[in-house]
Amino acid sequence: ISGPIQVCAGSTTNITGSPAGGVWSSSTPANGSITAGSGVLTGITGSTTTTITYTMPATGCYLTAPGTINPLPASLTGVATVCVGQTTTLSCTSPSGTWSSSASGTASVDAFGVVSGVSGGAGSATATITYTLPTGCRTTRTVTVFALPGTISNPNLCPGTSATLSCTP
């Protein structure tokens, strides 16, 4: 039996056996189910284990290996919008994870979940912020970055006069 026999809850991984033609099974399919003919293991319940068995139908010989189903991190919380040049903080109650951004040119994130708005494009842009546990299991949240308004012209006024202000994006 080869391949990683670890999977995150709600995800799949492929396991291979040699020689080809064997049948896969799981001792506890409620924790991790496996497709009999293909070796695709699906994590059902996190923080559990199952025993994976690969059986050759012609001989009845089999091999077993432990399978681990890792939990997903808790959902990310916090305000998921930010303006360019400002920050917002996302948090996760699952310890020991690392933060990353799918588009650091739009929104960057530091080791503490502080998201900085970098660029809002022509009005707004999005980046996916990911929190990954040491097991590789992850959760994500989309953050929207809003561009700042342009500059205001005609800012000088004399007492008792009025002016029309305009903003250029």
Side-chain angles (χ1 to χ4, degrees), residues 1-6 13-18 24 34 39 52 54 63 65:
I1 298 176
S2 66
I5 306 188
Q6 284 195 55
T13 189
N14 292 319
I15 304 169
T16 59
S18 178
W24 296 96
I34 193 162
I52 303 300
Y54 186 67
L63 290 172

Side-chain angles (χ1 to χ4, degrees), residues 71-158:
L72 294 174
S75 296
L76 301 182
T77 59
V79 177
T81 58
V82 65
C83 293
V84 170
Q86 296 178 352
T87 63
T88 187
T89 301
L90 298 181
S91 61
C92 184
T93 57
S94 302
S96 304
T98 57
W99 296 91
S100 63
S101 171
S102 66
S104 58
T106 299
S108 63
V109 62
D110 70 11
F112 304 101
V114 177
V115 178
S116 299
V118 178
S119 173
S124 68
T126 60
T128 301
I129 304 300
T130 302
Y131 184 77
T132 306
L133 296 176
T135 60
C137 299
R138 64 189 72 202
T139 189
T140 63
R141 183 119 184 242
T142 300
V143 172
T144 302
V145 179
F146 293 103
L148 295 175
T151 58
I152 298 175
S153 62
N154 284 334
N156 298 321
L157 291 176
C158 295

Side-chain angles (χ1 to χ4, degrees), residues 3-61:
I5 306 188
Q6 284 195 55
V7 66
C8 299
S11 297
T12 62
T13 189
N14 292 319
I15 304 169
T16 59
S18 178
V23 177
W24 296 96
S25 62
S26 168
S27 65
T28 50
N31 295 345
S33 66
I34 193 162
T35 305
S38 67
V40 176
L41 175 64
T42 302
I44 307 296
T45 303
S47 296
T48 59
T49 60
T50 189
T51 299
I52 303 300
T53 303
Y54 186 67
T55 305
M56 297 306 299
T59 64
C61 295

